[in-house]
Amino acid sequence: MTEKLKNAAEAILFSCGEPVSTVEIAEALGVSNRLAVDIIEALQAEYDKERRGVKIIKLADSYQLCSREDYFEFIRNVTEPRRRQALTAPTLETLSIIAYNQPITRSRIEFIRGVDCTASIAKLSERGLIDEVGRMDTPGKPILYGTTDEFLRCFGLSDISELPELSEAPQQEDFLKNSEE
Amino acid sequence: MTDKVLRFSLEVYDGPLDLLLNLVRKNKIDIFDIPIAEITSQYLDELHRMEEADIEISSEFLVMASQLLLMKSRALLPSEEPTEDEMTPEQLAERLEEYRKIKEAAKMLDEIQFSSEALFFKKPEKLQKGPIENVNMEKDLLFEAFKSVLSRVEDRLPPKKENFQGIVGREKVSLPDKIRDVLKFVNTRKKTSFESIFESSKTKGEVVTVFLAVLHLIARGKIKMHERGGKITITKSGDKA
């Protein structure tokens, strides 16, 4: 791996700003996907080792450059305060149904929650956390929803597989344990 | 007056499953071993309480209530054949368990929803497009403008008798007359748009003749044509646009 390729990858990530896929990086550098991943990871390690001002985060099959949390306080001195708006409990429920069951139709989401989910689905779409990812091949071709890169980024995940694991149904013994509490 | 009791601690449920799950927790019972009769009566009590507190009860709560009542009656009359879309206690347990998991997941997502708050991202770069090439399209522009005038005349509804004159007769439009008209029109206004010259033209023949008159006047240098941003203006010779 040459220093030049690593620098080129750095330049690409800086220029694009948005997440750049492994395939795009590999094509731009003229190397295999595997090598592209090695290059990015080497760059990533370098940034981390030196606690540089920027770092590289992985989002599904893409990489993105962003500032390092260590320097948040400093950045805050030069930027406008952010509007921090938490998702409401019903919206979070809808989001977790989609995150754990994607791709999923609206009717299935509503079956699981037992209530109408039009508003929370609209809210999540508006905030870019979910998107239409296709249509189900059944009569009516219902829309299938899935989470976005923005969702991963927002929740600090590199991949959907990093979602916290859900505890299984409490078995008989678990139940006994629980009832003792 | 004083016997009105204010209730502050009334729970607001996010749907019938949320209410049921609350009852299951409150009673410390196993989701997979729910005493249907008992839960049903507690469920209905809760609905009544909501009603008293003027909380709107959505139809989903009522659907669940009827399903619970049906399940309860099935337990009393086990000989009856259940219908296909009827909920069984097992299905209810599955739904509650699935919903319980989702609530748990939502709580976890809530905890990590600001994970990237301390990170800043650069806005995506806008791809720069090349400069717009300036091609001299004056002639085409004129042609297009003429076509649009023509079509506007044709669009005028309802079709007038004159529209058939090309077929059933001959209209009298003389070029020298139109040349005079156009020159007068331009002279009185000094500056006018290409389209407005045709405002008084009512037939295709007239439009064509006016167009010819404009060409004549340009050729003779009596009027001038200017183009700016796709719009054509006509001025008297010697006057600037």
Side-chain angles (χ1 to χ4, degrees), chain B residues 18 54 62 66 76 101 111-112 148 159 199 202:
Chain B
D18 192 32
D54 261 345
L62 303 178
S66 66
L76 298 172
K101 273 195 197 173
E111 281 162 20
I112 60 171
S148 90
E199 259 164 23
K202 288 182 185 65

Side-chain angles (χ1 to χ4, degrees), chain A residues 56-90:
Chain A
I56 298 170
I57 59 164
K58 188 173 186 283
L59 298 166
D61 286 326
S62 301
Y63 294 91
Q64 187 174 23
L65 210 55
C66 67
S67 71
R68 193 175 295 278
E69 56 276 17
D70 308 23
Y71 312 113
F72 177 48
E73 295 302 315
F74 298 98
I75 302 170
R76 239 184 3 195
N77 294 336
V78 295
T79 57
E80 296 276 315
R82 284 180 166 182
R83 261 193 329 140
R84 177 186 165 131
Q85 198 179 19
L87 294 170
T88 61

Side-chain angles (χ1 to χ4, degrees), chain B residues 32-152:
Chain B
F32 292 95
D33 192 19
I34 296 175
I36 299 294
E38 179 54 30
I39 282 293
T40 301
S41 79
Q42 286 190 22
Y43 182 92
L44 294 176
D45 284 349
E46 202 57 33
L47 286 198
H48 286 140
R49 217 167 302 161
M50 283 163 74
E51 209 168 33
E52 276 166 26
D54 261 345
I55 294 176
E56 203 185 326
I57 297 171
S58 63
S59 57
E60 291 111 350
F61 283 99
L62 303 178
V63 171
M64 181 59 78
S66 66
Q67 281 172 321
L68 287 173
L69 285 168
L70 188 59
M71 245 192 286
K72 187 180 152 190
S73 61
R74 283 279 179 247
L76 298 172
L77 297 163
S79 59
E80 283 274 330
E81 271 297 309
T83 56
E84 232 174 81
D85 49 356
E86 216 177 291
M87 188 163 63
T88 65
E90 292 75 33
Q91 282 166 340
L92 176 66
E94 272 166 34
R95 285 189 69 176
L96 280 176
E97 172 56 15
E98 189 162 23
Y99 185 64
R100 185 196 63 77
K101 273 195 197 173
I102 284 306
K103 277 197 101 69
E104 190 191 318
K107 215 179 281 169
M108 286 194 278
L109 285 186
D110 191 21
E111 281 162 20
I112 60 171
Q113 72 168 315
F114 292 110
S115 295
S116 63
E117 196 182 32
L119 306 183
F120 285 80
F121 295 85
K122 198 170 144 284
K123 287 260 153 51
E125 203 69 57
K126 272 199 191 115
L127 282 175
Q128 202 80 59
K129 294 222 172 77
I132 296 163
E133 222 176 307
N134 278 313
V135 188
N136 190 353
M137 308 176 297
E138 218 172 272
K139 239 189 288 174
D140 291 340
L141 207 68
L142 199 58
F143 180 61
E144 287 304 320
F146 178 55
K147 274 207 298 196
S148 90
V149 169
L150 262 189
S151 70
R152 231 173 293 165

Side-chain angles (χ1 to χ4, degrees), chain B residues 95-230:
Chain B
R95 285 189 69 176
L96 280 176
E97 172 56 15
E98 189 162 23
Y99 185 64
R100 185 196 63 77
K101 273 195 197 173
I102 284 306
K103 277 197 101 69
E104 190 191 318
K107 215 179 281 169
M108 286 194 278
L109 285 186
D110 191 21
E111 281 162 20
I112 60 171
Q113 72 168 315
F114 292 110
S115 295
S116 63
E117 196 182 32
L119 306 183
F120 285 80
F121 295 85
K122 198 170 144 284
K123 287 260 153 51
E125 203 69 57
K126 272 199 191 115
L127 282 175
Q128 202 80 59
K129 294 222 172 77
I132 296 163
E133 222 176 307
N134 278 313
V135 188
N136 190 353
M137 308 176 297
E138 218 172 272
K139 239 189 288 174
D140 291 340
L141 207 68
L142 199 58
F143 180 61
E144 287 304 320
F146 178 55
K147 274 207 298 196
S148 90
V149 169
L150 262 189
S151 70
R152 231 173 293 165
V153 168
E154 278 166 352
D155 284 349
R156 269 171 213 164
L157 288 172
K160 295 216 173 84
K161 206 168 71 182
E162 287 83 15
N163 288 12
F164 303 99
Q165 273 180 348
I167 310 157
V168 299
R170 195 176 282 272
E171 63 180 307
K172 280 187 197 152
V173 191
S174 100
L175 181 60
D177 281 351
K178 286 294 169 200
I179 290 177
R180 214 174 305 129
D181 288 353
V182 170
L183 198 57
K184 209 171 123 194
F185 186 84
V186 174
N187 280 345
T188 54
R189 278 169 186 74
K190 295 223 163 61
K191 181 180 164 189
T192 172
S193 76
F194 179 75
E195 283 83 0
S196 67
I197 291 182
F198 295 88
E199 259 164 23
S200 60
S201 307
K202 288 182 185 65
T203 66
K204 202 182 248 184
E206 248 184 353
V207 171
V208 172
T209 316
V210 171
F211 186 59
L212 281 175
V214 170
L215 293 181
H216 266 279
L217 289 165
I218 293 171
R220 281 195 234 151
K222 298 273 188 189
I223 59 172
K224 270 188 176 170
M225 200 179 69
H226 313 266
E227 186 255 312
R228 190 177 294 157

